[in-house]
Amino acid sequence: MNNILNQIGIENYIFLSVILFCIGIFGVLYRRNAIIVFMSIEIMLNAVNLLFVAFSTYHQDAQGQVFVFFSMAVAAAEVAVGLAILVSIFKNSGSISIDTLKNLKG
Amino acid sequence: MNTNIALLLVLAPFAGFLINVFFGKSVGKTVSGIIGTLSVAISFATSIYFFNALTAEPKGFNITLFDWIHVSNIKIDFGFLLDQLSVLWLLFVTGIGSLIHLYSISYMHDDENMHKFFAYLNLFVFFMITLVVGSNLLVLFIGWEGVGLCSYLLIGFWYKNQDYNDAAKKAFIMNRIGDLGLLIGIFILGHLFSTLDYATLKTAIAGATNIDLYWLSAAALCLFIGATGKSAQIPLYTWLPDAMAGPTPVSALIHAATMVTAGIFMITRLNFIFDLTPDVQSIIAVIGAITALVAATIGLVQNDIKKVLAYSTVSQLGLMFLALGLGAYEVAVFHVITHAFFKACLFLGSGSVIHALHGEQDMRKMGGLKKVMPITFITMLVSSLAISGVPVFSGFFSKDEILLTAFHHNIPLWVVASVASIMTAFYMFRLMFLTFFNAFRGTEEQKHHLHESPALITFPLIVLAILATIGGLISLPGNSWLNEYLTPILPKLASEEHHLGSTEYLLMAVAVVGGLVGIGLAYAKYNKQNTVPGDDASITGFAKVLYNKYYLDEIYNFIFVKSVNELSKFFRDQVETNLSAFVFGFGKVTNSISLQGKKVQNGSVGLYLFAFVLGLCAIISFLFLAQ
Amino acid sequence: MSILLILFCVLAAITLSTAFLTVFSRNPIHSAIYLVICFFSVAGHYLLLNAQFLAIVHIIVYSGAIMILFLFTIMLMNLNKENEVHKPRITRLGAIVSFCLVCLILITIFINSKPIAGEYIATGEDYQSIKVLGKILLNEYMVPFEFASILLLVAMIGTVLLSKKEKLEK
């Protein structure tokens, strides 16, 4: 069976992943709404996962996919805990703009 | 066996010190006094034992306790050398020491800290013995420092008076300055000969073919500087008159008979070094003679009875150094012994007078005491005759030897010494006439309480007066037991011939006449005419200069103390403020930097995320570029 | 142009556009919906690369769990009202700068790396079916597997604790 990358070429996957990652970074830095920031982080994680799977096909090795497996587990845990924190902050301060989270001011 | 007795000799006073320190207050005054006296008496008994043992074994006893310092090629062990010189010193130190302890039991009876006094006295005797019996210069140095310490403790014994404390500090500091000289001398000797042991030094110097005389003279000079500090010669003598602030037994023991003789002991011990450096010997002789004269002139006008005796001590020590400088070590030793007898007697007698007058020390307020205190009067009279060089008494023989030696070596020095002796006779009898003759000049209150002192005070006076009388017998001209005794220490004595020619008899006559002239002048002025020195305000002219000790203390203060003060003020004002500004400046700079750096942490999450991304880019570029 | 390439381009277009719209929507609910569509398209990519198990797990975990969590949070806390504070100009500038920077750096790096020459390896063996994946996961990666389960347990406990209402002391 042929490697599918023969048709598509690995550089396309790389470009796609990179641009997705940059969109994610842009979202993190640009938006002030904490929920949108979280979603941008999920976008970044997805970009990385995509690249892992692409390279796993390139090397014909399953280890890339195993790593994606664990990455997804961690992402799930992170979202759960992050949203719980967000909810507490919202209950305490009434707004979810990250500009209000200035308690660590030195 | 000898080791044990030597240990007993050294440690008995130390045991007395410890007992008095820990149990003195609880056993009561008399018992603590008896313990103190007994410990010194034990040392005296052991010194007599060693004295007898030396007749059988003239080489002396070299007792090594333990190896002490062993550094590359210098080996110093802690040991004792009991030969003729040290045993002779021990005899009169412990002998006079025990008499003074006995005296102090009665003299210090009213003082609440009597046990402390005896503790300090015992500690002093311990250190003095260590100084004398040490077999090398380092053990001597231990004793040297220790007696300086005890001198400080005892001078400032009545510590509630700040003037006494200052006097004690002055004594200690001046001693220390001399000690620096002594240390440098010891270092030079150690460097030159790789040993500090007396016997080894002697053989090393005798056997050495080319000794660097320049360095040897330097060492000798430094050792002499140490001796000037301890034995109160110019320029380090000003502490001794101020040291009269201590109780009278202290003045008698330390500043008349024992501690001040340590310098002479050291120089006699190291005679083989000084014999090789004639330049340093000349310096010693000249300084000794000048000190004798200067101190005698100051003593002419003093009104405090103890100060007169203090300046007399400095003057007599000057005469001893004159003898040492002329190479006549045995003469100096003879004078040390006779001086110890009569000066201790004089000090103890003055203590008896002060005690009877309840603390009055000004001679202008004394007078007519000879009927009330006969024993004190007679003993002090005997000692004064001795110090003035009247024949038969011991002082005549020893002082005459010094004058004889001076005449044979250097006539100007003889003139200076003779003038000093005449002045000595004058002021000693001025003291006697002012204190004991004519009418009493004190208050009525004091007059009613005048009485002779108790037996414990008069007994030592009598013993010392007897010794002052017969002490001359140990070294009669032409037939000197002392010279034969000291021959193992001073080998050249064996070859010297002492014959009494007409020159010697003439000189003796001149000295005696001089002494009698001095006594006569004093008699004329203070007895016949009954002159009493006036108040301090009425002294004018040259007498004022003498009364104020040639303003030497003020000069020292101006040169040394003031300059050090100015220097420290300079350091405090200029250097330290700048230095601390510089050091604090570091802190200030750090503070201001951190104040600016604090702005990075403004708590805004957006900024932190931005920093994340920038850092990520930086790391990636760095990793990429690194390839 | 093979059919696979066309498929890839379509999926890529959907991914990028929905991701872009997620970031730039005013309404958080709209952002969430767009993100769900983005995830589905990524799952399509996985299928294209023959990672079937991973695609299904991706849909279940991301679209099925994480996005539901997001949507619940937004709706229950009534965050759909967008009260965007006027952002200071410097942050906007900073964001654009960093976006361009990262983009530039990554693409430069990838372009300057050696181009992949030659054929792609095709062994013909099965390397990624669910059977093989399971074997590798539970043989070589046993310890991380267990750790991941502990991690999930801890996250669960943490989340519950964090969102509990505090008992008021009477």
Side-chain angles (χ1 to χ4, degrees), chain B residues 488-507:
Chain B
I489 311 282
L490 305 164
K492 64 181 177 40
L493 278 179
S495 54
E496 273 180 5
E497 287 258 339
H498 268 266
H499 39 241
L500 293 177
S502 54
T503 339
E504 282 77 23
Y505 284 118
L506 192 61
L507 288 169

Side-chain angles (χ1 to χ4, degrees), chain B residues 296 299-302 305 308-309 312 316 342-343 346 363 366-368 370 376-391 393 395-396 399 420-438 441 511-533:
Chain B
L300 288 176
V301 296
Q302 296 300 316
I305 191 172
V308 177
L309 294 174
S312 163
Q316 297 298 309
F342 55 68
K343 191 48 68 64
L346 280 169
M363 288 193 296
M366 300 180 191
K370 77 172 178 199
T376 313
F377 168 64
I378 293 182
T379 50
M380 281 190 80
L381 184 64
V382 165
S383 307
S384 301
L385 288 170
I387 197 175
S388 307
V390 173
F393 297 100
F396 163 69
K399 195 184 289 204
S421 310
I422 296 176
M423 287 193 198
T424 306
F426 177 76
Y427 63 66
M428 281 315 301
F429 272 90
R430 168 178 180 267
L431 184 150
M432 291 299 294
F433 290 132
L434 278 176
T435 312
F436 290 107
F437 285 79
N438 297 323
R441 293 183 290 274
V512 171
V513 165
L516 290 174
V517 163
I519 297 176
L521 280 172
Y523 177 76
K525 186 162 185 194
Y526 292 104
N527 198 357
K528 263 296 215 271
Q529 289 177 21
N530 203 2
T531 341
V532 176

